[in-house]
Amino acid sequence: MTTDNYPLDPSRIPSHIAIIMDGNGRWARSCGRERTEGHVAGVNTVRRITESASRLGVKYLTLYAFSTENWGRPRAEVDALMHLISMAIERETPDLIRNNVRLGLIGDMQRVPDDVRRRLEKCVADTSSSTGLNLILAISYSSRVEITAACRRLAALAAAGRIDPSAIGEDDISANLMTAGIPDPDLLIRTGGDSRLSNFLLWQAAYTEIVIEHAFWPDFDEALFVKAIADYQRRERRYGLTSEQVSDSSEPSGT
Ligand code: FPP
């Protein structure tokens, strides 16, 4: 598998890529436009990168579209983002079906306006038999809220005598997260140049390789996506072991 500048090893395409799509506002400001125009441009990037991920054989693509904290943005921006997500999903559903892409959602959907939630849920239902790329949108998502909810559920089961607290393991936590059944991300890309996780997949990203890309999300394209994957492919994933141990044994699954 080749691109102009970054040849990729097709046998080591990350199975799950998570993306913090940052920089829409700064992109807009840099060309003298309104912040919401940055989000409009960002939707085009979502389409582009979904197509690239699908073509490259990525199995899961999780996009941080709207965090719990984003509810605190000015009302007009929140409304514009919800409207954009809704319109984009309505417009893209036929293509998602045609391209065998399955939509999934993580986040507190109860806070999402009814019409937007219904449209998202319809797309989830309409694409449920797709077997290609799993496109997961994190909307109204907070990793700490997610982990807290998992702890509450396990605590309630323990209080009811249905599980033994001392037997709770990491798998039980994982199974009670919104990402239950989804493998942990292999690669996390953040655009816009900042180096932080911003409450995104904190538990799941324990051993995820992180690539920070300076381009703003609207300028992120297939070449930069491939460059990030090539960067990932150059790294050695040690999972706390030594380099010698890792090269002596086959890589852990999912890498
Ligand atoms: C961060 O940029 C971006 C967001 C908060 C929203 C991202 C959402 C989209 C691109 C639309 C998603 C649509 C679909 C269909 C998934 P920012 O506003 O924080 O930028 P800044 O850091 O430059 O201010």
Side-chain angles (χ1 to χ4, degrees):
M1 194 172 283
T2 58
T3 63
D4 287 352
N5 299 318
Y6 301 100
L8 292 180
D9 175 352
S11 70
R12 294 192 62 233
I13 297 293
S15 171
H16 183 174
I17 301 180
I19 306 186
I20 300 178
M21 310 182 284
D22 199 18
N24 293 348
R26 280 167 288 163
W27 178 88
R29 201 170 52 229
S30 73
C31 43
R33 304 198 206 172
E34 298 289 326
R35 288 182 60 81
T36 46
E37 294 182 70
H39 298 315
V40 171
V43 171
N44 293 331
T45 309
V46 169
R47 188 194 160 94
R48 236 178 9 236
I49 296 306
T50 303
E51 283 171 359
S52 300
S54 194
R55 204 166 35 243
L56 290 168
V58 174
K59 295 280 180 288
Y60 299 87
L61 177 69
T62 302
L63 303 178
Y64 205 4
F66 193 92
S67 71
T68 302
E69 293 73 24
N70 287 155
W71 289 116
R73 289 193 175 195
R75 177 68 194 267
E77 183 170 342
V78 169
D79 289 350
L81 269 168
M82 286 296 140
H83 181 70
L84 258 178
I85 291 172
S86 180
M87 290 294 105
I89 288 299
E90 183 179 28
R91 193 181 60 225
E92 301 298 337
T93 298
D95 268 0
L96 293 177
I97 296 169
R98 220 179 351 264
N99 291 308
N100 201 21
V101 176
R102 182 175 181 191
L103 186 77
L105 301 168
I106 54 172
D108 180 3
M109 290 301 137
Q110 296 314 310
R111 289 187 74 176
V112 173
D114 286 349
D115 56 326
V116 180
R117 188 177 63 244
R118 274 197 295 272
R119 193 155 280 169
L120 285 162
E121 285 169 352
K122 181 169 184 327
C123 183
V124 169
D126 289 349
T127 60
S128 62
S129 51
S130 294
T131 56
L133 173 70
N134 288 279
L135 171 64
I136 299 151
L137 298 183
I139 298 177
S140 189
Y141 175 83
S142 149
S143 196
R144 286 186 171 186
V145 166
E146 175 188 43
I147 293 168
T148 304
C151 292
R152 277 204 199 107
R153 253 192 313 274
L154 290 168
L157 288 173
R162 293 177 51 198
I163 56 169
D164 172 3
S166 66
I168 294 173
E170 292 183 11
D171 288 350
D172 298 305
I173 309 275
S174 295
N176 279 280
L177 299 177
M178 293 164 182
T179 51
I182 299 171
D184 289 342
D186 302 294
L187 168 64
L188 185 146
I189 302 169
R190 180 173 185 140
T191 61
D194 289 327
S195 309
R196 52 177 171 264
L197 287 176
S198 299
N199 215 352
F200 186 46
L201 303 177
L202 301 181
W203 173 275
Q204 298 87 337
Y207 283 101
T208 298
E209 297 296 329
I210 299 178
V211 170
I212 305 297
E213 168 54 54
H214 285 271
F216 298 136
W217 179 247
D219 289 329
F220 192 68
D221 58 12
E222 178 160 74
L224 291 172
F225 190 49
V226 167
K227 178 169 155 260
I229 297 173
D231 186 342
Y232 163 86
Q233 290 192 340
R234 280 192 299 272
R235 299 191 191 178
E236 179 185 61
R237 301 185 75 187
R238 292 190 294 279
Y239 299 89
L241 304 181
T242 66
S243 190
E244 292 70 25
Q245 285 175 303
V246 171
S247 51
D248 281 354
S249 62
S250 56
E251 282 197 337
S253 59
T255 62

